[in-house]
Amino acid sequence: MGTTAKSRNSLAFLFNHLVNDPHYYPVRASYHAQNFYCYCSFSATSANTTNSGRDIVESPNQFLKYVRDRCRSRSLRNLDDALGLFDRMLHMHPLPSIVDFNQLLSAIARLKHHSTVITLIKEMELSGIAPDVYTLGVLINCFCLLNRVDLSFSILARILKLGFQPNCTILNTLVKGLCLQGKIAEASRFVNEMEKKGYKPDTVTYGTIMNCLCKIGMTGEAIGLLRKMEEANLELDVVKYSIIIDSLCKDKLVTEALNFSLK
């Protein structure tokens, strides 16, 4: 068995433990994932369609180019327009590629309609459109932003079961989801386990935890994490140092803040 396969199997074991461990997530994700899908009762196919693409273009290729251009230019700002595009795509023969659906899902997620994105992905699957790792990453992000990090970990387990390799963006999203729920200790343990399994945390990973530590007054721990980033030769910017300095000032440790800024 190769190194990648071993790493995937080890990580799968870890996530199974996380999902089923009541100390981490008291809700069994596999059961509630189905309920959460049902909870998002908005149906894209029943939405009123608009002139967002249905009457503007004729050929399927022209229509898909129109959708891509609107998503890439971020000019899609209306949910009804987006749902009209999705509805037409879902009824095309042959169906568009998953890449085209992913672009539209990302655009809707940027509009902060996270529950709608979850519902649309479910509709895609019911129509026989298999999600790829990017789709599932969007799903993880939506669950995290809805404070359902338990369901996000169930999707991660699904990614591993499908044989996909989670990328740094997905792992960082999970870290952020844990931090948003105030589970800083769990986030730190998760990062440590990532490192043990061969996944290298980046500046976003550490920066997310460092920012949360400062927000809850654990400036000393945040400084320790910053030093770890320096030792790992990770790229640091002025923002991360400013977070520490601001936190020290809020703790009325102005001298320490000045000394830190001079280092």
Side-chain angles (χ1 to χ4, degrees):
M1 186 180 290
T3 304
T4 302
K6 288 181 179 178
S7 175
R8 185 182 297 134
N9 289 337
S10 298
L11 197 59
F13 175 81
L14 165 66
F15 293 138
N16 269 337
H17 173 71
L18 287 174
V19 170
N20 291 288
D21 186 346
H23 296 292
Y24 277 83
Y25 312 105
V27 181
R28 290 297 297 272
S30 59
Y31 173 79
H32 284 272
Q34 295 176 353
N35 286 345
F36 196 85
Y37 275 129
C38 295
Y39 167 77
C40 301
S41 58
F42 185 91
S43 173
T45 55
S46 65
N48 292 325
T49 56
T50 68
N51 288 332
S52 56
R54 183 175 294 278
D55 301 319
I56 293 176
V57 292
E58 296 286 341
S59 114
N61 287 337
Q62 286 178 318
F63 170 71
L64 291 176
K65 182 180 184 302
Y66 171 78
V67 175
R68 293 183 201 115
D69 289 344
R70 290 205 65 185
C71 291
R72 289 169 182 165
S73 65
R74 302 200 173 193
S75 62
L76 192 60
R77 300 188 180 91
N78 182 280
L79 179 61
D80 287 338
D81 285 350
L83 293 175
L85 296 174
F86 180 87
D87 183 66
R88 176 167 176 175
M89 289 172 66
L90 201 62
H91 291 88
M92 289 176 70
H93 299 285
L95 285 165
S97 72
I98 189 62
V99 175
D100 289 315
F101 278 105
N102 286 342
Q103 287 186 332
L104 185 56
L105 292 170
S106 296
I108 297 171
R110 283 196 297 270
L111 297 175
K112 302 187 185 303
H113 293 286
H114 304 116
S115 295
T116 300
V117 172
I118 293 168
T119 303
L120 296 181
I121 292 174
K122 184 63 175 177
E123 290 204 24
M124 286 167 51
E125 293 187 84
L126 292 174
S127 298
I129 304 168
D132 63 7
V133 68
Y134 185 93
T135 321
L136 297 174
V138 171
L139 192 55
I140 283 175
N141 185 53
C142 288
F143 276 133
C144 282
L145 291 172
L146 290 169
N147 291 319
R148 293 308 308 268
V149 72
D150 55 330
L151 300 185
S152 292
F153 272 96
S154 75
I155 301 301
L156 180 59
R158 180 180 173 187
I159 288 174
L160 296 167
K161 185 177 180 180
L162 289 171
F164 294 133
Q165 193 75 3
N167 55 34
C168 272
T169 300
I170 289 175
L171 299 174
N172 287 340
T173 300
L174 289 164
V175 170
K176 184 177 180 180
L178 289 168
C179 289
L180 285 173
Q181 291 192 345
K183 298 178 178 180
I184 311 298
E186 288 89 337
S188 297
R189 285 199 293 270
F190 178 57
V191 171
N192 290 336
E193 291 298 331
M194 284 166 53
E195 290 184 279
K196 291 176 184 177
K197 306 306 177 186
Y199 290 82
K200 298 296 182 184
D202 58 14
T203 54
V204 176
T205 316
Y206 288 123
T208 300
I209 296 177
M210 189 178 73
N211 189 41
C212 288
L213 287 171
C214 287
K215 285 181 178 179
I216 61 174
M218 298 178 68
T219 311
E221 288 78 358
I223 292 173
L225 198 55
L226 184 69
R227 298 307 179 205
K228 185 175 181 179
M229 294 170 68
E230 291 173 338
E231 292 170 4
N233 293 318
L234 291 174
E235 184 179 351
L236 295 170
D237 54 30
V238 67
V239 174
K240 291 180 177 58
Y241 288 100
S242 297
I243 290 171
I244 299 292
I245 293 170
D246 180 64
S247 185
L248 286 169
C249 289
K250 287 178 179 177
D251 292 339
K252 298 182 179 180
L253 299 172
V254 179
T255 302
E256 287 81 352
L258 288 171
N259 292 334
F260 187 84
S261 64
L262 295 173
K263 289 183 180 179

